[in-house]
Amino acid sequence: MKIKRWFNRFWPVLVIGGAVLIFFWPFFIKGLVPLPADIITGMYFPWLDYKWGYPVGVPVKNPLLSDVVSQIYPYKIYALQALKAGVIPLWNPLMFGGFPHLANIQVGLFNPTNLLYLILPPLTAWGWQTVFQPFLAAFFAYLFFRSLNLSKIAAVLGGLIFAFSGFLIIWLEWNVHGYVIALLPALLYLTQEYFRSGKTRFGIWLSLALAGQIFAGYPQIVVYSLLALGLFVLTQFKLWQKRTLLWFFWLGLGAALASCQLIPTVELFLNSQRRGEVLTVNQSFLPWVHLIAFLAPDFFGHPVTGNFWGAGDYTHSALYSGLVTLILACLILRRVKKTKETFFLVALLTLALLLVLPIPLAAWWQRLNFFGQGAMAATRALFLINFSLAGLAAYSFDFLRKGKMSLKDWRWGWLPVFALIIIFGKTFFSVYQRGLPLGAGVTLINWRVGMRNLILPGAVAFFTSGLLAFAILGRPLVRKAALGLLFILAVVELFRFGWKYTPFTPSNLVFPETPAIEFLKRQPGIFRVEGGDVVPMNMLVAYGLSSFSAYDPMYPRRQAQFLAIIEGGTPNHPKPRYGQISRYDSPLFDLSNICYVLAVKRDNLERATPQGNSMNWQFKLPKLEAVFEDGSVKVLKNNHCLPRAFLVRHYVVEKTEEQIAERLQEESFNPQKTVVLEKELGVTLVGEIEAGETVKQTAVESNKQEFLVTVKKPALLFVSENDYPGWEAEIDGRKTEIFRTDFAFRSVLIPEGEHKVGFSYRPISFRLGALVSGASCLFLILIGLRRLLWCR
């Protein structure tokens, strides 16, 4: 009896867990990692020269996931290595000449699941961290749907639909977005329970859930979640009551708990290039025609098959929740006004569509670029569509289970079927009449892709409609069988979508070493490497190699401006999120401590090949000397590369950004002899750097650099590390002023003699944030203790 009671209580969790295990069977059974590492070895040199166990090289399943291996995974590994060394990785010296690591919220440093990396091998931890996303999304959605008085089976179905719908699947392997959206139903559930009972424990958990959502690493989704939460309260409860004020208090406390992340992130944003970026309409909003993805996510092709032809990119298909789900959701439309809960779900669906579609008001708001939202893709709100459809489908399923659906409801369920018939008819006409009703540039091949990818959705739609007929008109036993098949079909349909999109790769493909990389790691000294046309930006971070070119949606504006200056541009037009360098002939390239450059060997037809005897034009410079070759790759040494730190006594002072840029770009400017400051030193420096005056770097850590400096008379110690708020300098243990130098770097004035010079990154933003987080945590603990003592 105990086992039966236990099973009756926990079978929903077992079903959810079992579904997650089935989806991730390649990870659990075959040992493959849910990480697109095939992109590394199958698309780029120097790895592309090797087969890695495949007869003709590594096949790449989904190239759309390149950011996972060029950003998220290297960030995680860097943070893990720092934490294991007992250092909080506030700073990352391996990109952009250094930039704030913790403040980059996508790192998600305080996500509790990062503890997995401290107890498991990195790839195993990554795999489990990926697995937990759909499990938590399904479990929390189940709790919320149960709180709306849905049956267990309907709540489980709603949870699984939400967990394996388009948005979470498309962003699954980022290991960021999934955690943020998983906590939306948790916030809704805790809000529901708090308003119903007023119990303090639900308020405490609400604060923790919001903090956890912020810590997960994607603030735009947090904002959309708060909009959904506000809509839920507005439609379900009376606003003018004491509990509403207390509800705001608990949310505010949750934000305060996350201050150690929020405050540094806000500081980075205020000092970043992102404030000036605005995405195009196609990049940000869901094109109207992509509403077809409600019915057929692959109508415009798929990145895995390499035939995508739609506007924007495939992430616009993240609104897909399955045709079974859509048809079930349509069944409930006739009854929306009868319950507050279904009214909320439809209102949420409407809100999401208003947020993601390019209506004039939304486009105008984006152009205002308030607090950087112009650089945010509005389609990140698509998860709200997935959630609302999951809830509506769960309600329909419950009504069907109770025998409360009629033929009048069934007619609403035919809406998606009719839409599919119309779309198929238009597509068929375009294929055989060669018409182009969706605009120029669309080919016959495109239309054939669309028509082919309508066949499976059509079959699912008609089969679903038939099952609904049995569920509505059949006897109880027939109804149960039809509903069981509907449940399985809804999940299998989403699993097919997910398995097609999600790559699982062998662990030996995750940043393996090659002779060229090993050569670079063996080189003495401190230097940076430019990936050239070989290694994509950021990927060298995984090997502990430092680069200057880098890619991130938000990095210091000064560095973006300096990258533009290297290219011959002006500080008024900083580099965007892609901070690539193409002008290797610039003296500022040498100033940036870029000592090695990677280049692909090409033949007379510009093809990459080990037999190539040529390179692209930017590599053909006298200062770049070939020092190593491996397959199709050459390692070039920059013989004009300046050290990471050196001494100088000549300086000029320029007050404005434009004047500094002009001075740095002068042909006569010698960055090894002269530096540009933005304020006077207060002392006069004379003479040249003499023999015996030396700089030796003695410590290099995430948040600290130390130097042993010997000078015969006062001089400036220049360090080509990004100057950013929070850096402090000491000479022999005494604080000294840091002077911003050569637009983006830093230097300190060294007095005569031998000195120990240290730079430490101790941002006030993090210290203040940690103080607020600590005080908020203590306050929550005291509230919890008071509640326990009071209960006794």
Side-chain angles (χ1 to χ4, degrees), residues 165-167 170-171 314-320 379 382-383 386 497:
S165 287
F167 191 92
I170 282 176
W171 300 102
Y314 190 77
T315 59
H316 292 326
S317 297
L319 54 83
Y320 180 69
T379 50
L382 289 172
F383 76 100
N386 294 154
F497 172 79

Side-chain angles (χ1 to χ4, degrees), residues 109-129:
L109 186 65
F110 296 113
N111 185 338
T113 60
N114 285 336
L115 293 173
L116 291 168
Y117 292 92
L118 301 181
I119 59 176
L120 296 173
L123 290 178
T124 305
W126 176 273
W128 276 103
Q129 195 175 41

Side-chain angles (χ1 to χ4, degrees), residues 125-143:
W126 176 273
W128 276 103
Q129 195 175 41
T130 309
V131 168
F132 282 144
Q133 292 174 95
F135 176 80
L136 291 176
F139 177 70
F140 289 142
Y142 166 79
L143 288 180

